[in-house]
Amino acid sequence: DFEETKGARARAWVFLDRLLNFEAMHHGTLAWAEQLRALLREATCSGEAAGSIGDRAFSYFALPVNCVLVLIPPTEYLGGWVCFLVSLALIGVVTALLSDLAELFGCLIGLPDILTATILVATGTSLPDLFASISAAREDQTADASIINVTGSNSVNVFLGLGLPWTIASAYWRAAEGSHLQVPARNLGFCVMAFSASCIAAMALILARRLFVGAELGGPFWTRLAATGGLVAMWFGHVGITGWRVLRWEAGYTDLIEDAAVIGGVAAFGGAALAVPVCVSAA
């Protein structure tokens, strides 16, 4: 009986080792502990972490971010699944904090919620996508990775970020309250139309670069500068137009003719922002 129990334990241990890879987890734990010790050295500016005043200032500035990042387990745990799930949870927590801080800041300065979301929250949550796209554009031979990163992240925001919470809320309201979930549209339609006009102009710019330059990214310096200026101008134009519409709506001034004129102005602005890079590309 003792030999059978010993053999069963050995087989169970081998099975768990194949499933969890204890050796890799041990190395990952050692690396994780070293990251924690390095963070403590940076916090106290002791040992090799102590450097110039600029290095210490940067260490103190990045300390809150590093304290959050050190909570992420190494990828050696369960094939990286623990790292992936903890990263998702921390992203959700940071995003919620960023949204609350931006809403509080907008309330202090009297900025409407939709402008706070468009300017502050959208910019803060899109900066990681920006840096990821820049890295992909530099390292990849084609523009597929950088463009797919942008379109894929926005698809997740629309289909999951909006669809999943609204579906859960609708089911809850139906089951618990016996009524339907109602979300007022307000200026959503106008903002979507303005955004669609900017997207069409941006896609036309990418297509024009493919025709005249032969690539969506890169090319001569003035071509890249003109395309960058056109895209940045379209973003500022979109924010300005939607901000104007929201402020007019809250003041009680709404007119279909005025909205049509503004939409036409958005199309004209997008065409102007598109024409300069196209002309430079053609030249």
Side-chain angles (χ1 to χ4, degrees):
D1 295 338
F2 176 76
E3 293 296 332
E4 292 180 359
T5 304
K6 184 177 180 180
R9 290 179 178 177
R11 288 191 298 270
W13 181 262
V14 171
F15 174 76
L16 290 176
D17 183 59
R18 291 178 179 177
L19 179 64
L20 302 177
N21 196 348
F22 292 114
E23 184 177 359
M25 291 179 63
H26 175 69
H27 291 296
T29 303
L30 294 178
W32 197 8
E34 179 60 30
Q35 290 180 0
L36 180 59
R37 287 192 290 268
L39 179 62
L40 293 176
R41 288 195 297 268
E42 290 182 1
T44 57
C45 289
S46 60
E48 297 179 357
S52 63
I53 298 177
D55 294 337
R56 291 197 296 268
F58 180 78
S59 298
Y60 284 126
F61 179 77
L63 185 60
V65 179
N66 292 331
C67 290
V68 175
L69 294 179
V70 79
L71 299 176
I72 301 177
T75 56
E76 287 80 4
Y77 289 2
L78 296 179
W81 281 103
V82 178
C83 177
F84 176 73
L85 295 176
V86 173
S87 299
L88 285 182
L90 289 178
I91 290 174
V93 172
V94 173
T95 303
L97 292 176
L98 177 63
S99 177
D100 290 341
L101 290 175
E103 185 177 357
L104 179 60
F105 178 75
C107 181
L108 291 176
I109 64 176
L111 195 66
D113 291 340
I114 188 170
L115 293 183
T116 303
T118 304
I119 299 175
L120 300 178
V121 178
T123 302
T125 56
S126 297
L127 284 179
D129 294 333
L130 173 63
F131 294 127
S133 298
I134 292 175
S135 177
R138 290 178 176 176
E139 298 177 0
D140 200 2
Q141 295 181 353
T142 63
D144 295 343
S146 57
I147 295 178
I148 289 175
N149 175 65
V150 175
T151 56
S153 62
N154 284 279
S155 298
V156 172
N157 293 336
V158 173
F159 299 137
L160 291 181
L162 291 179
L164 186 59
W166 282 357
T167 302
I168 296 175
S170 299
Y172 170 79
W173 277 74
R174 184 63 177 176
E177 304 293 337
S179 59
H180 300 283
L181 175 66
Q182 297 181 358
V183 180
R186 295 184 180 178
N187 298 284
L188 181 61
F190 182 87
C191 295
V192 169
M193 286 189 292
F195 177 75
S196 300
S198 301
C199 288
I200 293 173
M203 295 302 295
L205 174 59
I206 294 176
L207 180 61
R209 285 182 54 86
R210 176 180 292 182
L211 295 177
F212 294 105
V213 182
E216 290 84 358
L217 300 176
F221 172 76
W222 291 109
T223 301
R224 289 179 292 168
L225 184 61
T228 302
L231 293 174
V232 172
M234 280 189 284
W235 183 80
F236 277 106
H238 169 71
V239 172
I241 291 297
T242 53
W244 170 86
R245 179 63 172 82
V246 170
L247 295 177
R248 292 281 290 178
W249 184 86
E250 289 192 349
Y253 301 103
T254 55
D255 188 3
L256 293 178
I257 299 177
E258 186 179 65
D259 292 344
V262 171
I263 294 174
V266 171
F269 181 82
L274 173 65
V276 175
V278 170
C279 294
V280 174
S281 301

